[in-house]
Amino acid sequence: MLFKQQAWLRQKLLVLGILAVGSLLYLVARVGSLDRLQPICPIEGRFGARGQAEFPLRALQFKRGLLHEFRKGNISKDQVHLHDLVQQLPKAIIIGVRKGGTRALLEMLNLHPAVVKASQEIHFFDNDENYAKGIEWYRKKMPFSYPQQITIEKSPAYFITEEVPERIYKMNSSIKLLIIVREPTTRAISDYTQVLEGKERKNKTYYKFEKLAIDPNTCEVNTKYKAVRTSIYTKHLERWLKYFPIEQFHIVDGDRLITEPLPELQLVEKFLNLPPRISQYNLYFNATRGFYCLRFNIIFNKCLAGSKGRIHPEVDPSVITKLRKFFHPFNQKFYQITGRTLNWP
Ligand code: A3P
């Protein structure tokens, strides 16, 4: 009898224990999911006594909850406004380069407590129809943030679109511009891979990279091929320099962001005059993905979508050599203009 009672008690205690641990995990999970805009990293490191990004932690957590409620449709925009949350025009834009690692850069910068990302590519400055809707339309596309925070958006098409520099200049001539680049041939192949995947999804046939990148008549690099043209970084940058001084640009090494993200992010923090807040804690290498992923807290972490980090098709080595030789002088000019040497072949 006594033995039976003891077993019953043990069982009860076990159930209670499981319930307690479950509730605790649920609570931690709730806090972590309230607002992914606000990264969660060790508290001490985030809200120092000095530095510009000082937000009262309690208020911050409360407002995270508000944003969550707003997204769920439980409270109105007006109620959000009552709590100082605003939609601000971006103080910095990741203008490109397509396939350079623009999404990874945006997501990683969003780990900083003073940075709030616009989740979608807005395509305001490169799309005439959107641009015609006016700057208020653009502002309304921005996420809610505190006045002390900065909003960042990324639309990689900005870098290569003719009209964009002038349009951004008209909005804010002192805006900070981030360009993330990868070794140009790798970037071109990555660009091709993305288009190829789209074609395959639609059951369409597509040419091999070699056929597109090399003109079959001249056997020279085909500069009419968009993936090649986009990788001539210096040509595009020169157009931007007609409007903005080079000091307003920061070049991010996209190849290094893949292998060693933290130092690259620290350079960006410096460029944006943000106190250093992103730490190694926020970034961990995921061997299955083969990339660094983001850590929000002990429970929540996220890797980029599977569309980031595709396997590239094999490309004829002689075509790679030809392309690298072609890009070489443009790369030299790019290093010279930007003051950042990237040791590309
Ligand atoms: P690949 O798919 O060629 O590997 P973008 O966001 O500008 O489209 O860039 C996509 C590229 O970001 C990917 O190109 C990938 O290599 C790179 N990247 C950099 N850091 C990454 C990360 N942490 N996770 C996934 N992809 C990352």
Side-chain angles (χ1 to χ4, degrees):
M1 183 68 178
L2 188 68
F3 177 73
K4 253 192 174 174
Q5 260 181 346
Q6 273 179 345
W8 179 82
L9 206 66
R10 257 203 306 271
Q11 222 173 2
K12 269 253 165 174
L13 280 174
L14 188 72
V15 170
L16 277 174
I18 290 171
L19 276 175
V21 172
S23 315
L24 190 69
L25 285 177
Y26 173 76
L27 273 176
V28 177
R30 277 287 289 162
V31 171
S33 66
L34 285 185
D35 183 12
R36 290 298 178 77
L37 295 174
Q38 298 305 323
I40 295 165
C41 49
I43 298 290
E44 294 81 14
R46 301 179 62 212
F47 301 97
R50 67 218 136 71
Q52 302 155 317
E54 290 190 28
F55 313 104
L57 185 56
R58 271 172 169 281
L60 185 70
Q61 283 167 341
F62 172 63
K63 285 172 185 175
R64 266 187 212 150
L66 275 182
L67 268 185
H68 183 64
E69 294 307 320
F70 172 64
R71 288 213 196 97
K72 281 170 48 186
N74 294 340
I75 59 170
S76 70
K77 254 190 188 184
D78 287 345
Q79 283 169 302
V80 175
H81 282 306
L82 281 178
H83 295 280
D84 302 338
L85 287 168
V86 282
Q87 283 170 297
Q88 310 183 71
L89 288 172
K91 289 264 167 30
I93 303 181
I94 300 170
I95 56 172
V97 177
R98 177 182 151 93
K99 305 322 293 173
T102 53
R103 174 55 61 185
L105 178 61
L106 183 73
E107 297 291 335
M108 288 175 180
L109 286 179
N110 192 53
L111 288 163
H112 196 291
V115 173
V116 183
K117 66 165 187 187
S119 298
Q120 306 293 323
E121 289 183 11
I122 299 173
H123 289 281
F124 176 63
F125 297 104
D126 62 309
N127 179 311
D128 289 343
E129 214 175 285
N130 287 341
Y131 191 64
K133 291 175 185 160
I135 203 80
E136 268 309 290
W137 178 88
Y138 183 50
R139 201 175 59 75
K140 291 266 166 62
K141 290 277 169 198
M142 292 297 153
F144 284 96
S145 62
Y146 303 125
Q148 308 95 305
Q149 291 180 306
I150 62 164
T151 309
I152 298 190
E153 78 126 328
K154 76 115 179 165
S155 295
Y158 290 167
F159 186 58
I160 57 160
T161 309
E162 194 90 21
E163 299 82 4
V164 173
E166 185 181 357
R167 289 175 175 180
I168 293 187
Y169 181 85
K170 279 183 182 158
M171 174 187 72
N172 179 359
S173 61
S174 59
I175 196 158
K176 300 203 175 200
L177 302 163
L178 293 161
I179 308 174
I180 179 162
V181 286
R182 271 163 95 189
E183 190 277 309
T185 303
T186 312
R187 196 220 64 82
I189 297 170
S190 172
D191 200 331
Y192 166 83
T193 310
Q194 172 158 316
V195 178
L196 177 71
E197 197 183 280
K199 300 270 180 194
E200 278 174 350
R201 219 179 303 121
K202 291 177 196 153
N203 263 336
K204 287 188 176 168
T205 48
Y206 198 49
Y207 296 108
K208 283 190 82 177
F209 176 78
E210 290 85 340
K211 198 156 182 205
L212 295 167
I214 306 293
D215 184 330
N217 299 318
T218 61
C219 282
E220 294 302 324
V221 169
N222 178 10
T223 51
K224 289 198 185 98
Y225 179 38
K226 198 173 170 192
V228 166
R229 277 210 319 273
T230 303
S231 283
I232 310 177
Y233 305 137
T234 183
K235 287 275 175 224
H236 301 287
L237 183 60
E238 278 164 28
R239 274 188 303 100
W240 284 84
L241 289 171
K242 288 184 191 144
Y243 292 90
F244 298 96
I246 194 67
E247 294 73 34
Q248 267 170 254
F249 296 86
H250 176 76
I251 306 301
V252 178
D253 179 346
D255 296 306
R256 192 167 174 231
L257 193 85
I258 295 174
T259 55
E260 234 185 316
L262 189 59
E264 277 305 313
L265 295 169
Q266 287 169 333
L267 290 175
V268 181
E269 286 180 324
K270 223 181 223 173
F271 172 69
L272 297 177
N273 292 325
L274 296 170
R277 290 290 182 272
I278 303 172
S279 72
Q280 202 58 63
Y281 174 84
N282 300 123
L283 303 156
Y284 69 96
F285 187 75
N286 181 316
T288 318
R289 282 288 277 117
F291 285 98
Y292 275 87
C293 297
L294 317 183
R295 178 180 286 126
F296 295 88
N297 61 20
I298 52 162
I299 303 277
F300 276 97
N301 41 54
K302 87 168 185 189
C303 297
L304 264 58
S307 59
K308 304 292 171 185
R310 295 185 177 98
I311 296 168
H312 297 178
E314 279 216 10
V315 174
D316 184 333
S318 70
V319 170
I320 293 190
T321 308
K322 195 167 255 187
L323 281 166
R324 290 198 164 145
K325 216 167 148 197
F326 168 82
F327 287 125
H328 186 78
F330 297 114
N331 296 342
Q332 297 303 311
K333 187 113 186 264
F334 185 72
Y335 304 156
Q336 194 199 329
I337 296 175
T338 59
R340 181 141 202 203
T341 304
L342 292 157
N343 301 317
W344 293 329

